[in-house]
Amino acid sequence: MRPFVYEQPTDISTAVAIASRFATDDDQPTRANAQFIAGGTNLADYMKLGVAEPNHLLDLNQLKEAALRQIQVTDGGIRFGALVRMGEAADHAEVNRRYPVIADSLRLAASGQIRNMASLAGNVLQRTRCEYFRETSWQCNKRVPGSGCAAMDGFNRQHAVLGVSDACIATYHGDFAQALIALDAVVHAEGGHGARKIPFAKLHRQPRDTPHVETDLAAEEIITAIEVPAIPWARRSLYLKIRDRESYAFALASAAVALDLDGETVREARIALGGVATVPWRAGAAEEALQGKKLDEASAGAAADAAFAGAHPRQHNAFKIELGKRTLVRALLETRDMKV
Amino acid sequence: MDAAAPRPKENQGEPLPRVDARLKVTGQAHYPADLPTANLAYGALATSRIAKGRVTKLRLDDARAVPGLLDIVTYGDMDKVDKPKFGNSGATSIGPLHDRTIFHDGQIIALAVAETFEAAEEAAQLIRAEYEEEKPTASFDSPGTKTVAAAGKSPMFKEDVKAGDFDAAFAAAAVKIDQRYSTPTQHHNPIELFSTTAYWQGDQLVVHEPSQNVTGWKVELARQLKMDPANVRIVSPFIGGAFGSKGPMTPRTAIVAVAAKRLGRPVRCVTSRMQAFGTQTYRAETRHRIRIGAGKDGRITAFAHEGWEVTSRPDLYVVGGTSATGRMYGYGSVLTHVSLVQADRNTPGYMRSPPETPYVYALENAMDEMAVALGMDPVEFRRINEPKTEPIGKKPFSSRSLIQCYDQAAAAFGWAKRDPKVGAMRDGDWLVGMGCATAIYPSAVAPCAARVRLTSDGEVRVQCGSHEIGTGIRTVAGQMASERLGVAIDKISVEMGDSGLPPAPVSGGSISTASVCSAVLKACDAIRSKLFAAATAEGSPLAGSHNEEFDLADGKIVAKSGASAKVEDVMKIMQVGAIEEYAEFAPKGATPEALKKLYAGTPEFHGGEQDEDSVKYAFGAEFVEVRINRYTREIRVPRIVGAFAAGRIMNTRTARSQLMGGMIWGIGQALHEATEVDRRYARYVNRDLQDYLVPVNADIKDLQVILVPEVDHAVNPAGVKGLGELGNVGTAAAVASAVYHATGKRIRDLPIRIEQLLA
């Protein structure tokens, strides 16, 4: 393991200031000399593996701003402090009552131990677990820009079929982000240019020809909160995660669904898909396909077809298209049948 | 009694808690890399990123510049040491630092040694190799494989068994199947990582390393280092999971020993989980073709099993499970053939029930297909083909309780409630399927030595160079001494896992309980004889009762008539403070060199199908329920029941635990486990527990183990059939059968995954 400097800034502006000192214009945040760490469940792992090589580690756990650790329920919705742990949010009564899809997405992620450590902001920013990214002896455009992609024609069963490019097919594995993008969440960030709000859907960037550029954040920017608007009908929502084993595995396919129903007719649908895309994936075409329709197996199937219309499979992951569709159909029908 | 401690039935021992349970759950059990060692230096391996070619240049400057770096052991530094040998004690013949040739992905190219673990890791990561790369051969179907017949390539696999005229019988059979099956690459992934700690005391070398074979390693390491084995000691008091992976020594051990010698201080090298995939052994992928022909009455008239197994270029590792599958049922005729397919891979090795896991999977999946083809209940199909003698040598079974296992497991499972029609059972959106399969494992035994001491205070020490790999061998060896010496278990200490102790065979092949308990029994009986002789001598308390039968109980010698004498008093008369006996057990049929070979670390195995008088196997039957979602097709196993008969059960708690662990592993083999090989580069891709899936607690719901009573005096003096490798045999086939029952899809390639059920 490489030596590094470890610092514990005690307020957000200091953290931003320290990070700014190491940020250079041409370096992307994932490759910046200074990295933020909160739960450490992803970054520490990648530092041990030589995938991440920061010289400075800024531990955010001592930041004194209380709101960072709070879940605030307001008329406008719910606001998650960035340092709230996944486990806390998953167990929060109002989160469970108002947004079952959020609670499900957290509860079905990782393991109990990891959920107790991992922060919500860190979870959202987790990096791909692509096997070829994780191990430095392989070619990887995300890890070493321009070096090639070993996954493209390699063992790519876990890889994405949506939002892919010729440079990268690595899956975004997070679950929580699917709930957030479906519910039109907003990210609050503070950086060298002050505070700003970023629609969650704009936070992550598709790989295109720069897969190492993963988010809209600047190197010194810190997520301070995630805000989810009030959506009364989001009580009819769930997160369905399909995987090889019952727990502690990434989704092969998942669906975050919230439905506003008039009887069996869809007033509005919110759909996001996990395990199948390079970034958190809002399935707008599927939502539109359902609007004003009676929700049944046929209309759900048509929506699923629309969701995967632009899918690009590789050798080992073609099944994800069929699985992703079935996952969405099942999630839609189960959401329709929820007692709320 | 609770589920974890089943009430003993006939010929079953008490479910005593493990003697080391408290040490383990309180963190006081010292595994080899935990043993306190002063002035340690730390080693980290650098490994190749190619599978075939040559290292043309190693750039070490960056690594040498790491603060705290002490040494780098690499090419040239092992020249005065002999290359490893492939065999029971050696994982491979590849001497990775003897030769710049790269034979496989992840081959050791250097060992960096530093003052701290972190510095060693950093230096190892900074070692840069330049290669002359060649296109490697990954596996079956890759260009460049070489296929050779397996028979005779290993002392454990002498021939392709056969009986009768298969071709004629198969041609004439009224009902037949001809199918192909496959199993994937698997790595053991014990939770305790692989490690070597080595230090020198003058000419004496001490190695702390998790090992299933301390005697074999002592001899093999001494050979490599050109030393007298008496000067080498292997210490391995606890092993945190082995499953065969810690059976043969790997080249790392000698490299770390050389590093310790160069530095003149102890060196510890803990291999990362990723590196273990290339530097240790594994279960190679296998393929099978099975043909079964039967009459309309269900009697099998023809059985053929062909197997193909991947091995490395330099070493011909054979599993050869046809020896067991060819004897499983009362086939009319048998034809088998096993082939080895050489590729640019590391050498495979033993992994829990090495031959039976893949071969019995193929057989039992085929048996279920055959039952379907016959329109018969799969349990009845097995009942009809239950043999009186094994079909190859026509020898009797020393005992065979397979049908009892089927009947008891079927009753507990509720097999009678199964609707045999495919896809007929449902629970809401979940398709329900039920399947069953046979488990079999050869009951072998090997020579073993043990030393037992009984003091006048009634304390007992048992010493045996066997290995506590988690099976509970310390506990059952203590129980044997407790029973024979009439001493409570808490007065008994059991020392194992040190090559300085009386030698025991490798803890593999499920031989340990039988072999160790037979040696302990012999030592205890020698102590009894001395005590009984002294007690009945002239002037002693029981003088004159020579013709009586005696026993030891509660510190007393008790005659059948009821007369008794305290052991303490008899020892006073003998003028001794303790009686210590060193016993060497040799199984029936052992050669005159059997014990010499034990000390040389190359013990003979007896039993299984090798004896003249009978064949010896333990059997079981497993029943599985699966649930498959009708939309998304994920497969879950809510229930599994296994019934097993394995002669004398020394301890129902540890036996159940072994079988339960095996069944869970079997579920993993069916649904989860696979090492993925990138076929372009012959490299392993999913080298960690994130992507190498095994069942988690949430996957295991209702699991029941039934211990079927069985008495077998022919297997060995202890009457014990090993069961450590029985529980995971057949499980995957039972799952495959249940998946077929639920969906109508016959999956023949493991693991069974969602994508195979979506179409």
Side-chain angles (χ1 to χ4, degrees):
Chain A
M1 194 171 198
R2 297 166 69 252
F4 55 88
V5 176
Y6 173 81
E7 292 186 66
Q8 291 180 308
T10 54
D11 58 66
I12 293 170
S13 59
T14 307
V16 169
I18 298 172
S20 299
R21 291 213 307 271
F22 297 100
T24 57
D25 290 342
D26 52 343
D27 241 358
Q28 288 307 317
T30 53
R31 300 164 55 75
N33 238 333
Q35 296 282 334
F36 299 115
I37 190 165
T41 58
N42 191 201
L43 181 60
D45 193 17
Y46 280 158
M47 286 174 68
K48 289 180 194 167
L49 293 170
V51 172
E53 301 190 309
N55 290 322
H56 288 257
L57 213 50
L58 304 180
D59 182 350
L60 303 181
N61 290 300
Q62 302 303 319
L63 298 181
K64 64 172 193 271
E65 290 85 352
L68 289 169
R69 294 177 190 78
Q70 290 168 355
I71 299 174
Q72 293 168 311
V73 181
T74 62
D75 292 344
I78 197 158
R79 184 189 166 104
F80 296 99
L83 289 176
V84 170
R85 307 292 148 168
M86 291 171 73
E88 290 172 63
D91 293 343
H92 193 274
E94 285 302 303
V95 174
N96 278 273
R97 199 171 70 84
R98 293 170 189 238
Y99 308 99
V101 63
I102 294 179
D104 288 350
S105 73
L106 290 164
R107 196 162 34 236
L108 294 172
S111 67
Q113 294 91 330
I114 292 171
R115 292 194 297 270
N116 286 341
M117 287 297 291
S119 70
L120 293 182
N123 176 266
V124 158
L125 295 176
Q126 70 177 289
R127 307 191 68 194
T128 186
R129 314 303 168 103
C130 169
E131 297 93 331
Y132 297 93
F133 171 77
R134 271 177 76 79
E135 203 182 323
T136 56
S137 60
W138 295 105
Q139 295 174 321
C140 174
N141 287 322
K142 190 185 271 296
R143 184 167 22 78
V144 183
S147 64
C149 174
M152 200 65 72
D153 296 311
F155 183 74
N156 44 33
R157 178 175 184 260
Q158 292 274 358
H159 288 72
V161 293
L162 294 169
V164 297
S165 73
D166 290 341
C168 184
I169 54 170
T171 302
Y172 176 84
H173 289 289
D175 299 300
F176 179 44
Q178 310 303 345
L180 295 176
I181 198 170
L183 298 175
D184 282 336
V186 172
V187 171
H188 294 251
E190 272 187 58
H193 302 289
R196 64 168 176 148
K197 290 199 260 188
I198 310 164
F200 194 84
K202 299 252 194 242
L203 180 65
H204 293 82
R205 291 196 191 170
Q206 289 188 31
R208 307 188 203 286
D209 54 2
T210 52
H212 60 292
V213 182
E214 297 184 356
T215 70
D216 194 51
L217 294 171
E220 85 293 352
E221 247 180 333
I222 297 174
I223 294 180
T224 54
I226 299 166
E227 204 165 349
V228 181
I231 306 174
W233 47 269
R235 289 186 188 183
R236 183 179 296 285
S237 69
L238 60 74
Y239 186 71
L240 177 65
K241 184 173 180 181
I242 306 302
R243 40 188 166 171
D244 288 312
R245 64 183 174 195
E246 185 73 17
S247 179
Y248 196 35
F250 296 114
L252 292 169
S254 70
V257 170
L259 290 175
D260 184 11
L261 292 182
D262 178 6
E264 291 193 337
T265 303
V266 179
R267 272 198 217 103
E268 187 176 352
R270 298 288 186 84
I271 299 170
L273 302 173
V276 292
T278 54
V279 289
W281 194 262
R282 181 83 174 260
E287 294 176 358
E288 281 167 31
L290 282 170
Q291 200 159 4
K293 300 268 167 57
K294 180 173 180 248
L295 180 54
D296 54 23
E297 199 154 342
S299 63
D305 288 341
F308 284 88
H312 292 280
R314 303 297 302 183
Q315 187 184 353
H316 299 283
N317 66 355
F319 77 98
K320 283 193 168 184
I321 297 175
E322 180 63 21
L323 180 64
K325 288 180 185 178
R326 294 189 189 197
T327 303
L328 178 52
V329 169
R330 182 177 155 195
L332 285 166
L333 298 179
E334 286 185 8
T335 311
R336 178 195 67 186
D337 297 340
M338 281 176 77
K339 305 268 182 282
V340 295
Chain B
M1 300 277 168
D2 57 20
R7 187 181 300 282
K9 294 176 250 185
E10 183 199 351
N11 201 29
Q12 297 178 351
E14 288 297 314
L16 294 184
R18 289 162 189 267
V19 294
D20 36 31
R22 180 172 291 271
L23 288 179
K24 286 189 171 181
V25 299
T26 55
Q28 294 174 81
H30 281 155
Y31 293 82
D34 305 332
L35 288 169
T37 311
N39 194 28
L40 258 184
Y42 295 84
L45 297 174
T47 57
S48 72
R49 59 157 185 81
I50 68 162
K52 188 180 186 187
R54 272 180 68 75
V55 175
T56 52
K57 195 175 176 192
L58 271 188
R59 284 190 285 132
L60 305 176
D61 292 352
D62 290 348
R64 288 201 199 284
V66 171
L69 186 92
L70 296 167
D71 195 7
I72 295 174
V73 181
T74 185
Y75 301 112
D77 299 330
M78 296 294 288
D79 289 354
K80 288 184 184 152
V81 168
D82 279 341
K83 275 177 67 174
K85 258 190 195 164
F86 171 63
N88 277 339
S89 305
T92 176
S93 64
I94 297 167
L97 299 183
H98 283 84
D99 187 342
R100 288 171 173 261
T101 307
I102 296 294
F103 293 93
H104 61 84
D105 173 34
Q107 185 174 314
I108 296 171
I109 58 174
L111 172 75
V113 186
E115 293 284 358
T116 64
F117 170 73
E118 291 77 9
E121 287 276 303
E122 186 191 358
Q125 285 185 12
L126 288 171
I127 291 173
R128 300 271 180 260
E130 290 173 18
Y131 302 96
E132 199 175 272
E133 283 190 62
E134 291 175 59
K135 180 90 186 146
T137 299
S139 181
F140 296 127
D141 302 335
S142 300
T145 56
K146 184 181 170 198
T147 302
V148 296
K153 299 297 191 301
S154 154
M156 309 287 283
F157 190 77
K158 297 190 182 85
E159 58 177 358
D160 288 318
V161 296
K162 60 176 192 258
D165 185 348
F166 167 81
D167 290 332
F170 190 67
V175 179
K176 55 183 100 176
I177 61 159
D178 180 351
Q179 291 294 354
R180 288 173 184 270
Y181 306 86
S182 74
T183 64
T185 317
Q186 297 175 338
H187 280 76
H188 314 72
N189 278 307
I191 290 302
E192 180 202 21
L193 295 171
F194 299 96
S195 72
T196 305
T197 305
Y199 57 92
W200 294 79
Q201 295 171 321
D203 292 340
Q204 313 242 326
L205 169 64
V206 181
V207 171
H208 299 167
E209 180 165 343
S211 170
Q212 295 171 256
N213 187 8
V214 289
T215 302
W217 289 24
K218 174 182 77 172
V219 175
E220 169 60 13
L221 186 58
R223 189 194 64 74
Q224 288 179 31
L225 298 174
K226 301 179 183 174
M227 295 169 64
D228 180 349
N231 287 334
V232 176
R233 184 174 160 215
I234 311 286
V235 181
S236 182
F238 288 95
I239 297 100
F243 319 113
S245 66
K246 291 160 183 168
M249 189 172 70
T250 68
R252 181 191 62 246
T253 309
I255 295 170
V256 176
V258 165
K261 181 131 207 172
R262 283 157 64 105
L263 280 176
R265 66 190 268 196
V267 174
R268 171 172 299 160
C269 172
V270 179
T271 309
S272 73
R273 188 161 296 281
M274 273 188 177
Q275 288 176 333
F277 278 72
T279 58
Q280 300 290 143
T281 61
Y282 63 100
R283 192 197 298 281
E285 55 272 36
T286 68
R287 285 180 171 177
H288 307 262
R289 180 191 182 195
I290 291 194
R291 287 171 285 170
I292 303 178
K296 290 199 167 127
D297 58 357
R299 279 180 202 282
I300 299 172
T301 53
F303 170 66
H305 192 164
E306 294 158 84
W308 292 264
E309 309 165 2
V310 164
T311 188
S312 66
R313 293 287 185 197
D315 304 316
L316 296 176
Y317 173 76
V318 186
V319 296
T322 46
S323 172
T325 60
R327 292 179 171 89
M328 182 83 107
Y329 299 111
Y331 320 111
S333 60
V334 177
L335 181 72
T336 67
H337 187 69
V338 176
S339 301
L340 302 178
V341 177
Q342 293 180 272
D344 297 311
R345 297 274 297 280
N346 48 328
T347 303
Y350 308 109
M351 182 160 161
R352 205 171 189 173
S353 20
E356 290 74 20
T357 295
Y359 281 76
V360 174
Y361 157 70
L363 166 61
E364 290 299 287
N365 206 349
M367 285 293 284
D368 197 70
E369 293 205 60
M370 197 63 193
V372 171
L374 285 159
M376 292 185 81
D377 177 87
V379 178
E380 288 312 304
F381 180 46
R382 279 143 176 129
R383 196 186 304 278
I384 285 171
N385 287 290
E386 181 69 359
K388 291 212 161 45
T389 57
E390 54 91 10
I392 307 299
K394 311 284 187 248
K395 293 181 219 168
F397 292 86
S398 67
S399 57
R400 178 177 169 117
S401 307
L402 177 61
I403 297 303
Q404 291 91 319
C405 291
Y406 263 107
D407 289 343
Q408 292 192 25
F413 183 79
W415 183 251
K417 292 188 202 122
R418 173 183 184 258
D419 182 338
K421 199 163 151 261
V422 164
M425 300 182 79
R426 286 222 178 178
D427 181 3
D429 282 336
W430 294 85
L431 314 176
V432 177
M434 298 180 179
C436 61
T438 302
I440 181 174
Y441 197 79
S443 305
V445 63
C448 185
R451 188 188 293 120
V452 178
R453 182 171 72 181
L454 171 67
T455 68
S456 59
D457 296 337
E459 304 222 330
V460 172
R461 186 182 68 187
V462 177
Q463 293 177 307
C464 176
S466 189
H467 321 84
E468 180 54 271
I469 54 176
T471 53
I473 184 69
R474 264 204 186 88
T475 306
V476 300
Q479 271 180 284
M480 179 55 89
S482 168
E483 194 178 291
R484 296 306 287 171
L485 300 178
V487 172
I489 192 80
D490 61 355
K491 296 282 182 200
I492 297 178
S493 66
V494 183
E495 295 175 13
M496 287 190 178
D498 190 325
S499 64
L501 297 171
V506 55
S507 291
S510 295
I511 60 166
S512 287
T513 300
S515 309
V516 170
C517 286
S518 292
V520 172
L521 173 68
K522 191 172 177 183
C524 291
D525 284 354
I527 294 172
R528 287 163 63 101
S529 297
K530 279 195 177 166
L531 281 172
F532 297 163
T536 53
E538 200 73 18
S540 293
L542 300 173
S545 49
H546 292 283
N547 298 323
E548 281 221 49
E549 274 182 46
F550 297 102
D551 202 354
L552 286 175
D554 301 328
K556 282 183 282 196
I557 299 162
V558 185
K560 212 164 188 186
S561 62
S564 70
K566 281 187 174 171
V567 168
E568 194 184 351
D569 295 337
V570 175
M571 284 202 191
K572 277 183 196 153
I573 294 168
M574 294 169 78
Q575 286 198 311
V576 298
I579 302 177
E580 183 169 276
E581 286 292 332
Y582 186 97
E584 293 175 322
F585 161 71
K588 201 172 138 191
T591 66
E593 297 81 37
L595 282 157
K596 194 174 170 190
K597 280 152 78 178
L598 170 67
Y599 287 85
T602 54
E604 296 173 353
F605 278 32
H606 293 271
E609 65 287 330
Q610 298 182 53
D611 295 353
E612 292 299 321
D613 57 340
S614 63
V615 292
K616 300 169 176 76
Y617 289 99
F619 288 92
E622 298 186 25
F623 288 72
V624 168
E625 177 182 320
V626 301
R627 293 193 171 216
I628 299 167
N629 187 274
R630 84 180 168 99
Y631 292 106
T632 42
R633 300 278 155 169
E634 70 268 35
I635 311 158
R636 299 293 182 254
V637 181
R639 287 201 304 140
I640 177 166
V641 176
F644 305 92
R648 171 156 176 78
I649 302 299
M650 290 298 298
N651 177 321
T652 55
R653 182 196 301 267
T654 55
R656 172 185 174 274
S657 181
Q658 283 291 293
L659 292 163
M660 173 177 67
M663 289 159 72
I664 293 169
W665 193 336
I667 291 171
Q669 283 164 339
L671 302 175
H672 305 124
E673 279 194 59
T675 307
E676 307 294 351
V677 181
D678 188 314
R679 300 182 66 94
R680 301 167 297 173
Y681 304 104
R683 298 190 63 196
Y684 301 127
V685 178
N686 54 334
R687 301 194 301 164
D688 55 40
L689 291 176
Q690 168 191 292
D691 294 308
Y692 187 96
L693 298 187
V694 297
V696 294
N697 279 322
D699 290 299
I700 306 304
K701 310 276 201 277
D702 184 353
L703 182 151
Q704 188 183 351
V705 175
I706 300 167
L707 298 169
V708 176
E710 183 181 69
V711 177
D712 189 332
H713 295 299
V715 278
N716 50 64
V720 165
K721 292 178 174 177
L723 50 70
E725 293 168 89
L726 182 60
N728 60 316
V729 178
T731 320
V735 173
S737 304
V739 167
Y740 172 79
H741 179 232
T743 65
K745 283 187 193 303
R746 177 67 61 179
I747 308 301
R748 302 186 180 90
D749 303 313
L750 292 180
I752 304 168
R753 284 185 170 158
I754 287 177
E755 52 263 47
Q756 291 161 296
L757 299 178
L758 283 173

